[in-house]
Amino acid sequence: MMTSLKSLFTTKKPWLDLVYLGCFFLAWFVDPPNTTEIALSVGALAGFVALYVFTMRRMDWTVLVAAGLAVCLGLSMAAMNYGSAVFIVFAAPMIARLPDTRLRVPALIVLGPAVLLGSVLIGAPWYFTLAVVVLSALSGLTASSAARRAESELEAEDRQARAAAAAVEAERSRISKDLHDLLGHSLSVISLKADLAARLFEQKPDMARQEVEAIQAISREALREVRDAVSGLRDRSLQGELKSVITALESAEIEVIVQGELPALNAEPEVALVMVLREASTNILRHAQASRVEIAFVREAGRHRISIRDNGRGGRPAEGNGLSGMRERVEAVDGLFELSVEGGFAVRVSLPEQLS
């Protein structure tokens, strides 16, 4: 009996709880009813089921009215059939399922004394009163616990859904930044080489052919990198990127001066620095009108410091996708990102040494 009480009203399908209405008919095995009692019992049972169905569809104050009617129905049938106590026991979980604490808690507190008073008024025997009060308390507690557990599960599912949506948005943002960085750089170099090939086509066809071959190679590399960006396979070497940047800048007749040794970094900070280097060189090719670029790597005061400076026209550009993307990548690995427009344009990055 206690095992069944522990599982009472804890199912996620409350319609199955109606199986406990079978308790209403137990008294008939001891004292068979007459025709009138059968008719009244069937009417009472139908009335209770209607109240129960009503409470399953409502989550407001009307549930309290339905629970009160169920208690009254159980008390009124007690003189004929003490199995009607099941109607009263059901009232507690009806109330316990209410989501509004301001309604649920006071109603559950009042239910016990109300049932006790009603039992005294109808002259019910002590065992009826005791059974009703104890079973109502147990069913109310288990139903309340089940309702709170269901709410916690729904909240957990909601948190998981929000986390999944945030992960999707973060991945979209990553792909957007990668595509901007990758295509911006590659298309700038391709455009530059295409212009150069067009100028050389008439007078120096061999050199023009070399530029076209370079365009083909850059295009294939860009396609590979775009595929890697979409799939998340971002295995980019800082050393390889530096060589690519030097080649692209020198193709535009920009002198490149590299100072210091490349830092040895973990995967994420290296990817961030690779993309900063690429975006900075792309901005130089597009906007700077520079003739010289200095790229310096310095290790001091427990940090790796990297600067990319040109001698172009300077001026602080609007911080669009490129600059904001560089800043976000650096700050995501606990780095510092700075811009300077004195004597040209400079990008400075500082990364913690422990990222090595």
Side-chain angles (χ1 to χ4, degrees):
M1 181 65 177
M2 288 305 297
T3 302
S4 62
L5 285 176
K6 289 180 181 179
S7 63
L8 186 61
F9 307 110
T10 60
T11 177
K12 292 183 178 181
K13 297 180 179 179
W15 311 107
L16 297 181
D17 293 336
L18 291 175
V19 68
Y20 290 98
L21 289 177
C23 298
F24 180 79
F25 303 102
L26 293 179
W28 288 5
F29 292 97
V30 178
D31 184 14
N34 56 40
T35 304
T36 302
E37 290 174 342
I38 291 176
L40 290 174
S41 296
V42 170
L45 194 60
F48 170 78
V49 171
L51 291 172
Y52 188 79
V53 171
F54 176 83
T55 61
M56 291 299 98
R57 300 178 180 275
R58 301 296 293 267
M59 286 293 172
D60 55 18
W61 63 270
T62 56
V63 171
L64 302 181
V65 177
L69 291 174
V71 171
C72 293
L73 190 60
L75 292 173
S76 64
M77 292 292 296
M80 185 183 304
N81 181 355
Y82 285 132
S84 65
V86 70
F87 299 159
I88 304 173
V89 173
F90 264 92
M94 286 180 182
I95 297 171
R97 292 192 187 104
L98 282 172
D100 191 344
T101 306
R102 294 171 300 178
L103 293 176
R104 183 180 68 249
V105 174
L108 287 175
I109 293 174
V110 170
L111 180 62
V115 170
L116 184 60
L117 178 61
S119 299
V120 172
L121 291 177
I122 65 172
W126 67 269
Y127 52 85
F128 174 88
T129 303
L130 179 62
V132 168
V133 171
V134 171
L135 292 177
S136 295
L138 289 175
S139 63
L141 288 173
T142 54
S144 181
S145 176
R148 302 294 79 73
R149 187 163 55 250
E151 288 180 3
S152 298
E153 291 174 358
L154 288 175
E155 291 175 357
E157 291 175 0
D158 185 57
R159 286 195 298 271
Q160 290 176 356
R162 290 199 300 270
V168 169
E169 184 59 31
E171 183 64 6
R172 286 176 180 170
S173 177
R174 180 193 68 77
I175 292 174
S176 174
K177 288 175 185 154
D178 282 4
L179 291 180
H180 174 275
D181 295 343
L182 294 169
L183 293 180
H185 175 80
S186 299
L187 292 177
S188 295
V189 176
I190 289 172
S191 176
L192 177 69
K193 287 187 172 292
D195 290 341
L196 182 58
R199 292 196 300 268
L200 295 173
F201 186 76
E202 294 290 341
Q203 299 177 351
K204 299 180 180 179
D206 291 340
M207 293 183 65
R209 186 179 299 107
Q210 291 177 3
E211 295 300 328
V212 171
E213 291 173 353
I215 290 173
Q216 291 175 332
I218 293 170
S219 299
R220 285 193 293 268
E221 179 66 13
L223 180 60
R224 182 191 66 78
E225 290 179 331
V226 166
R227 288 172 177 167
D228 289 349
V230 172
S231 62
L233 302 175
R234 298 174 291 167
D235 184 16
R236 299 168 188 153
S237 163
L238 181 58
Q239 184 176 10
E241 186 61 33
L242 180 61
K243 290 180 180 179
S244 176
V245 164
I246 292 173
T247 300
L249 292 173
E250 289 181 342
S251 296
E253 299 181 353
I254 299 174
E255 180 187 6
V256 181
I257 300 173
V258 180
Q259 300 174 339
E261 297 182 359
L262 295 180
L265 299 170
N266 295 331
E268 285 300 316
E270 182 170 15
V271 168
L273 193 53
V274 163
M275 302 313 292
V276 167
L277 188 60
R278 173 166 295 198
E279 180 61 26
S281 64
T282 300
N283 287 340
I284 292 170
L285 289 170
R286 285 178 176 175
H287 311 297
Q289 299 178 6
S291 61
R292 188 180 72 257
V293 173
E294 296 177 2
I295 303 174
F297 301 93
V298 179
R299 184 176 181 180
E300 63 180 11
R303 300 185 73 86
H304 295 292
R305 304 185 188 276
I306 302 94
S307 66
I308 307 161
R309 175 187 292 276
D310 65 65
N311 66 342
R313 61 182 180 176
R316 192 178 189 89
E319 190 157 328
N321 289 335
L323 292 178
S324 63
M326 285 193 285
R327 185 183 300 279
E328 289 173 6
R329 289 178 187 278
V330 172
E331 292 178 349
V333 292
D334 297 326
L336 301 177
F337 180 85
E338 297 177 342
L339 299 175
S340 172
V341 294
E342 297 178 3
F345 189 78
V347 173
R348 296 190 182 91
V349 174
S350 175
L351 298 174
E353 194 173 37
Q354 60 265 30
L355 295 178
S356 300

